[in-house]
């Protein structure tokens, strides 16, 4: 009796070809000539040597295209090629394909990414750039990364293009940014132009573009690790001596540690520091990668915040004004820190809690104001909590011994909006 041997046939790969300004290599052209299904943007399908008999699908909504690829992949003799821009593994279609079909099913042949091409046109390195995509994501994330960092590349999307980005930057006081808009990179209509935010906000732009958001040309983006893009900064809850301040008017390190933990500053978010004083909380939030706007009513205090931000190599937008009036024109924050404790504190907390997307943290010394602050947080739909922090520091005594020196106790109160499904809260 003859023995039958069954061999599992490995399915043909789904090939993803990155298209850029370079000519299609002969091997890729041969692959396209034998494909039975070719998926890609209209401009790619029109310019590629696709076999006449091949079925073509123009990429629009992703779900129908993935279903068609699955159907073709299951058919004997089916051979699928997906055409994509630049490096399709860099904010591209490779992620969706790998999730649906498995990474081992893909054969990816990348071209140069559009971000690399754009920086190359300017002769700039981009190993210190932050890259963010607005495709299928809240555009506010991209806007806030541009506020926080001096070298950012934004892969734009409808509703989050050069005009919308520029309009958001214009709402941010005390911020110096220039925009480079790269349209149709590598294509026949390629255009790369530098504009200021006011000009960019007033113009209509092509649908397909990439925006580089850069700081002043004499202040390149610093080479440093960003929280949310590689880990926490080197040290946090820094000692008070790390900041210029007046008459010890600076949030103490022990208090700042808890404040930062409750604020949860992160890349892509906006934090307000209201009643900023020395700006120690603002600077530390910026060191975690967040965009920060500091509001301070004293002119010398506003100058100190700017000086401390410069000393730590971060950008903090400073508003010289009195809250809550000064808050009205500002973009809505994700988290707010309110320091100080004047008689108008409940009104300030009410204004901040009405606009914060996620969290408000308040520090105060007066017990009498705790109920009003908690009521303001509750009225805004936030769940509130708090703690009284009392700490004593080691202080030297003669003879090489130490004593405990008490630091003034401080109330730390916080309010949080209920988390949406799948959303983490700090």
């Amino acid at each position: 009796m003859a023995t039958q041997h069954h061999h599992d046939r490995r399915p043909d790969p789904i090939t993803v070809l990155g298209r850029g300004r370079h000519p299609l290599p002969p091997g890729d052209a041969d692959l396209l000539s034998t494909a039975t299904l070719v998926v890609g943007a209209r401009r790619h399908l029109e310019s590629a040597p696709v076999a006449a008999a091949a079925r073509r699908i123009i990429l629009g909504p992703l779900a129908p295209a993935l279903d068609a690829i699955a159907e073709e992949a299951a058919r004997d003799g089916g051979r699928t090629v997906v055409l994509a821009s630049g490096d399709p593994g860099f904010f591209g279609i490779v992620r969706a394909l790998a999730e649906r079909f498995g990474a081992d099913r893909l054969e990816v042949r990348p071209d140069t990414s559009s971000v690399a091409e754009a920086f190359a046109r300017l002769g700039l390195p981009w190993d210190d750039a932050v890259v963010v995509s607005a495709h299928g994501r809240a555009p506010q994330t991209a806007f806030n990364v541009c506020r926080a960092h001096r070298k950012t590349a934004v892969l734009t999307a409808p509703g989050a293009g050069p005009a919308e980005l520029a309009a958001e930057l214009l709402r941010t006081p005390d911020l110096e940014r220039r925009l480079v808009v790269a349209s149709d990179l590598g294509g026949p209509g390629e255009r790369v132009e530098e504009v200021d935010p006011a000009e960019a906000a007033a113009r209509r732009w092509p649908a397909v573009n990439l925006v580089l958001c850069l700081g002043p040309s004499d202040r390149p983006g610093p080479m440093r690790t960003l929280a949310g893009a590689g880990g926490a900064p080197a040290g946090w809850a820094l000692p008070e001596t790390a900041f210029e301040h007046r008459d010890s008017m600076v949030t103490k390190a022990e208090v700042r540690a808890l404040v930062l933990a409750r604020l949860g500053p992160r890349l892509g978010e906006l934090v307000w520091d209201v009643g900023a004083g020395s700006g120690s909380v603002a600077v530390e939030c910026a060191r975690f990668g967040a965009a920060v706007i500091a509001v301070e009513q004293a002119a010398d205090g506003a100058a100190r915040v700017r000086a401390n931000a410069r000393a730590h190599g971060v950008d903090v937008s400073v508003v010289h004004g009195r809250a809550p009036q000064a808050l009205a024109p500002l973009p809505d924050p994700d988290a707010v820190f309110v320091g100080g404790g004047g008689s108008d504190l409940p009104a300030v907390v009410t204004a901040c809690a009405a606009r914060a997307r996620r969290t408000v943290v308040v520090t105060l010394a007066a017990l009498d104001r705790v109920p009003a602050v908690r009521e303001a947080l509750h009225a805004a739909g936030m769940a509130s909590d708090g703690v009284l922090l009392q700490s004593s520091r080691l202080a030297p005594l003669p003879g090489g011994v130490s004593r405990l020196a008490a630091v003034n106790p401080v109330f730390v109160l916080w309010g949080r909006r209920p988390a949406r499904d799948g959303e983490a809260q700090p």
Side-chain angles (χ1 to χ4, degrees), residues 34-410:
T34 61
T36 56
L37 172 66
V38 182
V39 179
R42 186 185 302 275
R43 68 186 187 280
H44 292 145
L45 293 174
E46 290 175 350
S47 63
V50 181
R55 181 182 172 201
R56 303 174 186 220
I57 293 181
I58 297 173
L59 263 180
L62 195 55
L66 294 176
D67 290 343
I69 293 171
E71 182 182 311
E72 192 70 18
R75 191 170 67 83
D76 281 345
R79 178 81 183 191
T80 299
V81 174
V82 179
L83 299 174
S85 296
D87 182 350
F90 187 70
F91 290 104
I93 198 171
V94 165
R95 176 173 280 104
L97 291 171
E99 288 174 354
R100 178 73 177 266
F101 303 104
D104 58 346
R105 186 75 185 274
L106 305 182
E107 179 190 11
V108 183
R109 303 183 184 183
D111 205 317
T112 307
S113 74
S114 58
V115 176
E117 293 276 9
F119 278 109
R121 299 295 194 280
L122 301 181
L124 289 177
W126 64 288
D127 50 3
D128 55 347
V130 181
V131 182
V132 62
S133 174
H135 282 277
R137 299 164 173 84
Q140 207 63 37
T141 298
F143 301 154
N144 287 332
V145 173
C146 289
R147 289 182 175 107
H149 301 290
R150 300 170 195 163
K151 188 183 283 187
T152 303
V154 181
L155 302 166
T156 61
E164 292 85 359
L165 169 59
E168 282 292 318
L169 294 177
L170 291 172
R171 297 182 65 197
T172 312
D174 204 34
L175 183 70
E176 295 180 83
R177 291 292 183 265
R178 54 197 175 101
L179 302 179
V180 177
V181 182
S183 306
D184 193 25
L185 275 174
E190 177 177 312
R191 190 169 183 182
V192 178
E193 53 187 318
E194 181 174 329
V195 291
D196 62 37
E199 181 183 353
R203 283 178 54 178
R204 295 174 65 91
W205 296 93
V208 179
N209 54 57
L210 168 76
V211 178
L212 305 184
C213 182
L214 307 173
S217 55
D218 60 338
R219 291 172 65 192
M223 284 288 289
R224 61 189 185 89
T225 300
L226 303 172
W236 58 288
L238 301 174
E240 295 88 82
T241 53
F243 304 98
E244 180 186 332
H245 54 85
R246 177 178 61 84
D247 300 331
S248 296
M249 296 294 289
V250 58
T251 304
K252 300 300 185 287
E254 298 89 341
V255 174
R256 209 176 326 117
L258 180 59
V259 166
L260 290 167
R262 292 292 173 258
L263 285 174
R266 64 192 81 172
L267 188 71
E269 289 196 341
L270 174 63
V271 178
W272 288 353
D273 181 356
V274 180
S278 67
S280 62
V281 171
V283 168
E284 294 233 47
C285 287
R287 293 178 75 243
F288 274 97
V292 184
I293 298 177
V295 180
E296 172 55 42
Q297 65 177 343
D300 60 338
R304 263 189 293 275
V305 176
R306 293 188 181 98
N308 282 324
R310 281 194 303 271
H312 288 273
V314 294
D315 279 346
V316 171
S317 299
V318 181
V319 176
H320 174 211
R322 185 180 181 86
Q325 296 85 351
L327 306 177
L330 303 181
D332 287 346
D334 295 281
V336 182
F337 171 62
V338 182
S343 59
D344 57 353
L345 180 64
V348 173
V349 174
T350 296
C352 293
R355 296 180 59 190
R357 294 187 181 91
R358 182 167 54 74
T359 303
V360 175
V361 181
V362 185
T363 58
L364 63 163
L367 170 64
D368 307 298
R369 296 203 173 101
V370 170
V373 169
R374 295 196 70 199
E375 178 55 35
L377 296 173
H378 288 152
M382 291 183 162
S384 74
D385 208 339
V387 67
L388 174 65
L389 282 186
Q390 296 175 287
S391 60
S392 296
R393 298 178 175 180
L394 291 175
L397 282 173
V401 295
S402 300
R403 67 181 181 91
L404 287 174
V407 179
N408 288 337
V410 176

Side-chain angles (χ1 to χ4, degrees), residues 403-419:
R403 67 181 181 91
L404 287 174
V407 179
N408 288 337
V410 176
F411 289 98
V412 182
L413 307 176
W414 58 89
R416 290 179 294 197
R417 297 211 184 282

